[in-house]
Structure formats: structure tokens, C-alpha cells
């Protein structure tokens, strides 16, 4: 029987190595997206291609061993790819570059260390390699199938020269790749030391135990709380950059059978046809193994306490618990090459919410309301010395209210990621950041309020171009169990409202760019929120006096709550029945006037 203490040692070593790899990348990379925004992550996989670490999602090793048999690998080899359609679903768009390093023990491959991150530019039609109006993947940048980037410690200078030649930011691309390759090689040495110390058999038995423990924990503590049955829900992306805005559906039919080997069946039938524009995600490869690990963190919301939820990692142990059923080729989740994919975040982020929504139906609302916490905004042009620059930022938003607490403000879905520091931005690029704060009233009203988004004001000092890849500019993050939707994404330039998808809107020196990111949906009726909590939100600038009155029915006289006036106003405002889901005022604009979808009914 495996020693449980050794399992703890191995598990802690894996987490330590993963963190050391990520720290090394952050300290040595050159691009703001990697170094400052931290839009990257590492992962550790065993020789059976199973993900062992669970702090973050990662790409897959499957495409590497598919094209390079394990027995041909040598110490010092580094493999590279970013081809969406040849990544087995692990890469979503071309700016996500992935490096993979095999770990050796006694001349045999025993594991893999991998890192992938979002890089500044890999070519294509627009700076940043995310053309919002692309109709083909060929417009999005340089596609690289799995290749050997380093051969036994020697970099492939020809491949690196081709890649940097195709990038508008060749120096930062070269620096980032060097940082990632070196960090993964360091991580491979660290893991090799673990095998040297305890032996291959003992370490691999610990790997099995780590994965098995996750499987049993999720089955016993989480899945057991979902009543058996079949539940259906869907949500939507609102535009694809090519066609006029409309509802692009992502549907999940969830079947729960506790006696089955895979208790959860997630069927995506009913998902809309693939879009002409770049919101498609190639998810139907390797039996959807990437999507299983991508969606599984939603299940942690079923834990008994928030503290327990934070303790639960998502590794390969979740994979056998989920069966996925994909529609035929030609949908948003099963696109046909060369369909564009650079804005696939619209689909895979929405799927997190769809799973949360269908689980809310199954569990009587014991799931958080919706969030949409990632979008790309930025400017590009030339500085005073005529040197081209690209500033692109992944700004977060508010998370959804929960059955026990408000949502969090300005969170980022990428673990450990962040906005770019103002001091760094102003020192490097020709603009001033005049405000960076919380967007008042952006969180969805509820007994537990949705988290707030950012309110960021950028004053341009030179002429430039503005870009944006953002969803939820028409639709809102939905509220649940009587909670109301949050405010959508908004950008104004010199007072003119922008669309969510923009490649090259001209901005003049002196123009003000005002960005307000999404607020999370509310949970529970806002008329059940403690008036003292509403008054505190007003004092903190999170809710306006008008919002307190109109959204929560709370009458304030300065800092004092008018309890009688509040009770009377709430009695007038409270609807006879609460809708389980509230999709916000943007939904009727795209649904032909309907305020709710058929699948919203319990």
C-alpha cells in the first residue's frame, strides 16, 4: 500500500515545481502580457499524459506524443505548437504558444512539464493577432504544428527566426519563448530529482493516488449533491464580428446518473452552427478532455463551505466522471478548419456559465450567478521616437453573487493574472491613466450583489488606434434565483460608444477612452438584501443613491436608513413572483422582444 506521507510529499513537490516554473517565467519574460498581466500558466503531466497539478488549467501533451513518439525523445528536447486544429483542443487561438519538455529518469521519459501563454503578436491581419472580423484562421497569424524547438539543448534557430520574422514584436516574442523554454527545462530537472530520490515505481504510484483521490472526492462530495435527472439550459454569445449581432447559442443537456461510471453526461447538442467570425472553439478533440478539465472547476461550488471549495484541485481525476457528447461537425464547438477562432473566449467562457446555470436548475439555485471576467482592450501606434508599440490588456470584471456572499470585484479568470500597473503603463506608452477604480452600480442587484467591474479612463497623448475583443456589450451577466443581471461592457471614446469587437478605431491625441467592464449577476431578490449592506455599498461608492432606491428599494437620508419608507417602497417594487434567471435588458434586443428563454423555466 502506498505511503500516504509520500503521497503528500509528491503532491507538494508537484505544486512547488509548477509554481517555480511560473515564477521563473514571470521574472524573465519580456512582454507585458506575460510578465505583467501574467496571462500564462504551467502544468505537469505524467507519462500517461494525465494532468497532475490542479491550481490552473493547461494545454495538452497529446499532440506532442502523437507527432513525436515518446521513445524518440531525448534530454534537453523542447517541443512547441500553437496550431488550434492540431492541438487536440488544448490551444484555443494562435497567440497562445505552448512549450513542452519531457522529464527523464534513467534514460526514460517519466513526465512532462508544459507552459503556455498569450503572447503579444504572432502575425496576422492586425497587431495582437486577434482580428475581430476574421473569416479564416489564415488571417489570424502564423500556425505552427508540433515541432521540436530545441534538440538536446540546442535551439532550432531557423524555426525561431521564422517565428520572430512574422511577429510585429519580435524581441518580446523571442524573450518570452526563451523564458518559457528555460523555465520548463528547469522544472524538468526538479521533477527528475524527485524520481531520483524515491524511484520511478513509488512516484508513479503516488501519481495514481493523487488522481484517484480527486476522482473519489469529486464523486463523493460534489456530484452526490446533484439530483438524478436531465436538465437543459443555454446561453449566448452576442456577435461574431462578421454578421449582425444575434444569439449564438451554447446549450448543455446535463444528465445525472449516480450509478454510472461517468455520473455526468454533458451533451452540447443544440449549440449553434459555427460562426463566420472568430468566436468558434475546436473543443471536440480527444473526447473533449480539455473541456472536461476546463468546466470541472464549476462543480467546486457544490462544496459544503467556501473554504473546502478552495482546497479542491482539478486534475485528470475529473475526466472519468464526465462523458461529453458533441454535435456533428460545423458548430461553435465543432468548427471545420479553417474557421477562425481568435475570440473563442466568447464560447468557452460562456460554457462555464451554462454549466453553472444548468446546475442551478438542478440544485435549487445553489450556484453563483454569471460572470464574464475577461476581455482584451488596448491601443497601438508609434511613440514619440517613431517606435511601434502595442498595449493590450486583459481586464477583469465582477464575479456573480453567491448563495452565501456577494460576488468579488474586478477578478480575472486566468489564475494570478492582473491588470497592467498604471505606473508601468504610463512610463512605457504615450497615454495617461486618469482613473482606475470600481464601476459604480455595475454589479447585478441581489440579496447577494454581483461583483463590480473596472472603470478605467485613458487619456491619449498621441494619435493611435483602439482595439477590443469583448463580449457582453449587449447581453448582461445573468442573475439567478431572483437576482438581477449586471451591467454590460461599455467603452466610450471621446463620448462615442464603441462596439465590443473593434480592430482599428482611430483615436486622437487628447481623446479620453473610458472602459467599464462587466458586473456579475446578482443572487436572490434585491429586496431581500439587508438595507445596512446597501447603505454600506453607497458609502463605499459601489452603489449610487439612485441605485439604492431603484434597484434595492432602500430609502436613505444621508447615512440613515428610512426603515418605514424602505419597507413601503419594497412592498410596491417587489414583483409577484421572481424569475429564476434574469438575462437583463439587452436580451430582448436580440431575441425578438422575449424577456426570457424557454429553457429558463424550471
Amino acid at each position: 500500500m502506498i505511503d500516504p506521507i509520500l503521497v503528500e510529499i509528491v503532491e507538494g513537490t508537484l505544486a512547488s515545481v509548477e509554481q517555480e516554473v511560473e515564477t521563473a517565467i514571470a521574472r524573465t519574460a519580456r512582454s507585458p502580457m506575460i510578465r505583467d498581466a501574467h496571462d500564462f500558466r504551467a502544468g505537469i503531466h505524467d507519462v500517461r499524459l494525465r494532468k497532475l497539478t490542479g491550481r490552473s488549467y493547461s494545454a495538452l501533451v497529446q499532440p506532442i506524443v502523437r507527432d513525436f513518439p515518446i521513445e524518440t525523445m531525448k534530454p534537453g528536447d523542447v517541443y512547441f505548437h500553437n496550431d488550434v486544429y492540431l492541438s487536440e483542443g488544448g490551444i484555443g487561438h494562435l497567440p497562445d504558444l505552448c512549450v513542452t519538455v519531457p522529464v527523464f529518469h534513467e534514460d526514460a521519459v517519466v513526465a512532462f512539464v508544459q507552459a503556455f501563454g498569450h503572447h503579444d503578436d504572432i502575425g496576422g491581419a492586425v497587431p495582437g493577432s486577434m482580428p475581430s472580423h476574421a473569416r479564416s484562421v489564415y488571417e489570424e497569424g502564423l500556425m505552427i504544428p508540433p515541432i521540436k524547438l530545441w534538440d538536446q539543448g540546442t535551439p532550432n534557430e531557423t524555426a525561431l527566426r521564422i517565428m520572430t520574422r512574422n511577429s510585429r514584436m519580435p524581441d518580446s516574442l523571442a524573450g518570452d519563448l526563451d523564458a518559457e523554454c528555460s523555465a520548463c527545462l528547469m522544472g524538468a530537472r526538479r521533477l527528475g530529482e524527485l524520481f531520483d530520490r524515491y524511484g520511478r515505481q513509488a512516484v508513479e504510484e503516488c501519481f495514481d493516488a493523487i488522481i484517484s483521490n480527486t476522482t473519489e472526492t469529486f464523486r463523493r462530495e460534489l456530484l452526490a449533491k446533484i439530483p438524478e435527472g436531465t436538465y437543459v439550459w443555454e446561453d449566448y454569445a452576442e456577435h461574431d464580428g462578421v454578421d449582425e449581432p444575434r444569439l449564438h447559442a451554447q446549450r448543455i443537456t446535463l444528465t445525472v446518473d449516480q450509478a454510472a461510471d461517468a455520473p455526468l453526461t454533458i451533451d452540447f447538442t443544440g449549440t449553434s452552427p459555427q460562426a463566420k467570425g472568430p468566436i468558434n472553439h475546436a473543443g471536440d478533440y480527444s473526447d473533449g478532455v480539455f473541456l472536461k478539465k476546463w468546466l470541472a472547476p464549476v462543480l467546486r461550488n457544490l462544496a459544503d463551505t467556501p473554504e473546502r471549495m478552495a482546497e479542491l484541485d482539478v486534475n485528470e481525476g475529473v475526466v472519468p466522471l464526465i462523458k461529453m457528447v458533441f454535435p456533428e461537425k460545423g458548430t461553435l464547438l465543432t468548427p471545420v478548419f479553417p474557421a477562425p477562432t481568435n475570440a473563442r473566449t466568447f464560447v468557452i467562457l460562456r460554457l462555464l456559465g451554462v454549466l453553472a446555470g444548468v446546475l442551478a436548475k438542478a440544485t435549487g439555485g445553489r450556484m453563483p450567478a454569471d460572470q464574464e471576467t475577461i476581455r482584451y482592450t488596448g491601443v497601438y501606434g508609434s511613440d514619440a521616437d517613431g517606435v511601434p508599440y502595442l498595449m493590450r490588456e486583459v481586464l477583469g470584471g465582477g464575479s456573480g453573487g453567491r448563495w452565501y456572499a456577494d460576488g468579488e470585484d474586478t477578478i480575472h479568470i486566468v489564475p494570478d493574472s492582473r491588470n497592467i500597473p498604471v505606473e508601468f503603463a504610463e512610463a512605457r506608452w504615450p497615454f495617461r491613466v486618469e482613473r482606475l477604480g470600481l464601476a459604480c452600480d455595475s454589479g447585478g442587484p441581489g440579496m447577494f450583489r454581483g461583483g463590480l467591474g473596472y472603470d478605467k479612463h485613458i487619456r491619449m497623448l498621441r494619435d493611435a488606434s483602439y482595439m477590443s475583443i469583448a463580449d457582453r456589450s449587449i447581453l448582461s451577466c445573468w442573475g439567478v434565483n431572483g437576482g438581477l443581471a449586471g451591467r454590460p461592457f461599455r467603452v466610450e471614446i471621446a463620448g462615442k460608444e464603441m462596439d465590443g469587437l473593434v480592430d482599428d478605431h482611430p483615436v486622437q491625441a487628447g481623446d479620453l477612452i473610458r472602459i467599464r467592464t462587466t458586473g456579475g449577476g446578482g443572487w436572490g431578490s434585491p429586496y431581500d438584501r439587508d438595507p445596512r449592506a446597501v447603505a454600506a455599498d453607497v458609502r463605499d461608492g459601489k452603489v449610487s443613491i439612485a441605485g439604492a432606491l431603484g434597484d434595492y428599494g432602500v430609502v436613505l437620508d444621508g447615512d440613515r436608513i428610512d426603515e418605514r419608507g424602505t419597507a413601503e417602497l419594497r412592498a410596491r417594487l417587489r414583483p409577484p413572483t421572481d424569475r429564476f434567471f434574469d438575462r437583463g435588458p439587452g436580451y430582448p434586443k436580440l431575441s425578438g422582444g422575449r424577456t426570457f428563454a424557454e429553457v429558463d423555466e424550471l
Side-chain angles (χ1 to χ4, degrees):
M1 183 176 179
I2 188 67
D3 181 357
I5 296 177
L6 182 57
V7 174
E8 290 285 337
I9 292 172
V10 170
E11 191 168 23
T13 301
L14 293 173
S16 177
V17 171
E18 181 183 64
Q19 187 170 12
E20 188 175 4
V21 170
E22 292 191 353
T23 300
I25 293 171
R27 290 172 65 93
T28 57
R30 295 192 58 178
S31 72
M33 187 65 73
I34 301 293
R35 184 188 63 234
D36 300 290
H38 282 220
D39 190 1
F40 71 94
R41 60 216 51 90
I44 298 174
H45 307 252
D46 70 2
V47 74
R48 294 164 59 185
L49 317 185
R50 301 178 302 177
K51 186 172 184 291
L52 300 168
T53 47
R55 194 176 62 84
S56 172
Y57 64 95
S58 63
L60 304 176
V61 182
Q62 280 86 338
I64 303 303
V65 301
R66 179 198 64 212
D67 293 357
F68 295 90
I70 288 177
E71 58 271 16
T72 67
M73 297 178 177
K74 302 293 183 182
D77 287 351
V78 179
Y79 300 89
F80 174 91
H81 71 292
N82 78 326
D83 189 313
V84 171
Y85 289 92
L86 294 180
S87 73
E88 300 293 326
I91 296 294
H93 56 188
L94 297 183
D96 282 349
L97 310 183
C98 182
V99 299
T100 305
V101 173
V103 178
F104 283 83
H105 171 69
E106 296 180 350
D107 298 325
V109 176
V110 290
F112 296 91
V113 178
Q114 190 176 73
F116 86 107
H118 191 119
H119 293 250
D120 274 345
D121 189 276
I122 193 68
V126 301
S129 309
M130 295 183 68
S132 64
H133 306 296
R135 291 173 176 263
S136 164
V137 72
Y138 295 114
E139 300 172 56
E140 297 179 315
L142 184 66
M143 286 182 290
I144 304 172
I147 63 170
K148 187 183 290 188
L149 190 62
W150 288 33
D151 187 352
Q152 299 183 67
T154 302
N156 184 336
E157 298 293 348
T158 301
L160 289 168
R161 186 179 181 191
I162 292 171
M163 292 160 61
T164 54
R165 179 62 174 168
N166 277 271
S167 173
R168 297 171 179 84
M169 304 288 162
D171 292 340
S172 66
L173 177 59
D176 288 349
L177 285 174
D178 186 60
E180 289 160 350
C181 292
S182 298
C184 287
L185 286 165
M186 178 270 295
R189 291 193 298 272
R190 295 284 188 270
L191 280 182
E193 293 167 1
L194 179 70
F195 281 87
D196 292 340
R197 182 174 184 181
Y198 296 108
R200 178 171 182 174
Q201 180 177 342
V203 173
E204 290 186 338
E205 287 176 352
C206 290
F207 291 171
D208 291 340
I210 291 167
I211 292 172
S212 177
N213 289 343
T214 296
T215 303
E216 292 309 309
T217 298
F218 269 68
R219 185 190 296 272
R220 182 182 64 254
E221 294 189 27
L222 306 181
L223 303 192
K225 295 179 179 178
I226 310 173
E228 291 194 336
T230 298
Y231 312 91
V232 184
W233 204 62
E234 68 183 27
D235 203 4
Y236 316 94
E238 63 196 26
H239 51 179
D240 73 344
V242 176
D243 287 333
E244 289 298 311
R246 61 181 177 86
L247 298 178
H248 298 266
Q250 293 107 75
R251 172 174 287 206
I252 285 179
T253 299
L254 177 69
T255 300
V256 183
D257 180 359
Q258 301 290 0
D261 290 338
L264 299 188
T265 297
I266 297 176
D267 187 344
F268 298 107
T269 301
T271 293
S272 290
Q274 73 182 50
K276 295 178 183 176
I279 65 172
N280 306 289
H281 175 70
D284 58 326
Y285 294 86
S286 291
D287 297 321
V289 67
F290 174 83
L291 280 181
K292 291 179 183 181
K293 288 178 281 190
W294 169 260
L295 293 175
V298 174
L299 298 169
R300 296 187 298 184
N301 289 284
L302 297 170
D304 288 337
T305 66
E307 293 76 17
R308 180 55 177 157
M309 178 173 65
E311 294 173 351
L312 299 175
D313 282 344
V314 175
N315 56 35
E316 204 76 17
V318 303
V319 171
L321 298 172
I322 302 171
K323 175 184 177 182
M324 286 190 166
V325 178
F326 290 93
E328 294 182 0
K329 283 288 188 181
T331 71
L332 291 172
L333 283 174
T334 59
V336 178
F337 180 84
T341 66
N342 74 78
R344 95 299 186 202
T345 49
F346 293 9
V347 168
I348 63 172
L349 287 178
R350 197 69 63 249
L351 286 179
L352 295 170
V354 179
L355 181 57
V358 77
L359 286 170
K361 291 180 71 172
T363 61
R366 202 176 181 276
M367 295 295 290
D370 190 35
Q371 64 181 39
E372 203 286 302
T373 58
I374 187 171
R375 78 278 306 142
Y376 302 86
T377 59
V379 291
Y380 61 92
S382 297
D383 62 19
D385 297 323
V387 177
Y389 73 89
L390 167 65
M391 188 288 290
R392 185 175 52 181
E393 189 170 26
V394 185
L395 278 175
S399 69
R402 297 158 286 183
W403 57 273
Y404 57 89
D406 293 343
E408 300 286 346
D409 302 326
T410 59
I411 68 163
H412 296 242
I413 196 169
V414 177
D416 298 329
S417 66
R418 61 203 69 177
N419 62 299
I420 294 177
V422 170
E423 297 81 1
F424 171 83
E426 291 183 338
R428 181 158 183 165
W429 297 307
F431 59 72
R432 289 196 309 268
V433 179
E434 296 187 349
R435 171 176 166 78
L436 179 61
L438 298 177
C440 183
D441 288 331
S442 58
M447 182 168 72
F448 294 109
R449 174 182 46 74
L452 274 60
Y454 282 102
D455 184 17
K456 185 167 188 174
H457 299 182
I458 298 174
R459 181 77 65 180
M460 298 305 301
L461 302 180
R462 294 180 58 83
D463 294 354
S465 296
Y466 166 78
M467 60 165 48
S468 171
I469 299 288
D471 204 19
R472 295 298 202 207
S473 62
I474 301 172
L475 302 175
S476 301
C477 295
W478 42 266
V480 69
N481 204 34
L484 303 183
R487 298 283 178 88
F489 174 76
R490 288 285 184 273
V491 174
E492 293 179 358
I493 297 181
K496 179 182 178 182
E497 188 171 317
M498 296 286 102
D499 292 331
L501 286 168
V502 180
D503 282 339
D504 53 3
H505 182 82
V507 289
Q508 307 300 315
D511 282 353
L512 181 69
I513 303 173
R514 181 179 180 181
I515 303 167
R516 288 171 60 93
T517 66
T518 51
W523 193 100
S525 172
Y527 308 119
D528 292 329
R529 185 169 177 81
D530 187 338
R532 292 172 297 180
V534 177
D537 282 343
V538 172
R539 288 195 299 271
D540 293 341
K542 294 186 174 185
V543 173
S544 66
I545 292 177
L549 194 69
D551 292 335
Y552 292 94
V554 174
V555 182
L556 297 174
D557 181 8
D559 290 337
R560 187 181 67 85
I561 299 169
D562 181 344
E563 295 184 3
R564 180 176 177 180
T566 294
E568 292 175 350
L569 179 59
R570 284 184 161 185
R572 292 198 305 271
L573 293 177
R574 187 185 295 272
T577 57
D578 290 320
R579 286 213 171 272
F580 193 72
F581 294 101
D582 176 60
R583 295 185 181 270
Y587 180 73
K589 299 177 183 178
L590 301 181
S591 65
R594 292 180 289 115
T595 58
F596 64 95
E598 182 180 347
V599 294
D600 292 351
E601 298 290 348
L602 296 179

